[in-house]
Amino acid sequence: MKNILHIISSARGEQSYSSQLSSAILEKLLQQGNINTVTVRDLVKDAPPYADEMSIHEFYKHPELYDEQSRQLLSYANLIVDEVRKADIIIIGTPVFNLGISTPLKAWLDQLIRAGITYVFDEQGNRVGRFTGKKVYLAVASGGRRTEGAPDYISAYLRDVFRSYAGITDVETYHIEGTMENGFTADYESVLKDFNPVNDIS
Ligand SMILES: Cc1cc2nc3c(=O)[nH]c(=O)nc-3n(C[C@H](O)[C@H](O)[C@H](O)COP(=O)(O)O)c2cc1C
């Protein structure tokens, strides 16, 4: 039985194409069965804190030195780390904003990725991700369409962050493109026609 974490990061509520696409992915997984829990983290309704001077100081502290202030400043970071740790499957919806991810999603990542927590260094000094064996589905909505051969910055960036700093190598992206075109209608079934459900993660 798998646990799913569903991350919503568009400010557009029920109008959001990225949220609708990520919900369609969730629906496919639920239809597949074998799902234990679904946790929803809406980064707009419950915004992540920005990494400010005090919290960055705590991020760098050795856990043995944590005090009451550390616990307060790290409470959001620890909460989302626990959610990701518990999840077998993470579905992330994001709009394309100026070729990148949404602001709350970036803030969530900056709270999540931490030395000693999502990755450690081995004796040879190599970075080793600690959240291996998870699957990430990205649901990305853009007003325009990428031209043939144009870089997919969001997919490349998130793949690299999850692989390099968390050890998550299985990242699959689905795009809903052209949302700002005249007369646009979203066809999630066709976007997900080759949807790849997860049965095989350990
Ligand atoms: C500040 C801002 C920046 C945007 N930047 C881009 C962009 O770089 N490329 C693009 O194709 N669409 C861009 N858009 C359009 C959104 O990607 C599009 O409206 C998308 O559907 C938003 O996702 P959502 O429906 O999940 O909210 C931008 C929209 C806003 C408000």
Side-chain angles (χ1 to χ4, degrees), residues 9-13 15-20 93-100 139-146 176 178-180:
S9 78
S10 163
R12 298 192 327 109
Q15 304 299 312
S16 158
Y17 294 109
S18 62
S19 302
Q20 288 175 24
T94 183
V96 175
F97 272 13
N98 299 313
L99 304 179
V140 181
S142 57
R145 294 178 194 270
R146 275 167 309 136
I176 182 104
T179 65
M180 297 191 73

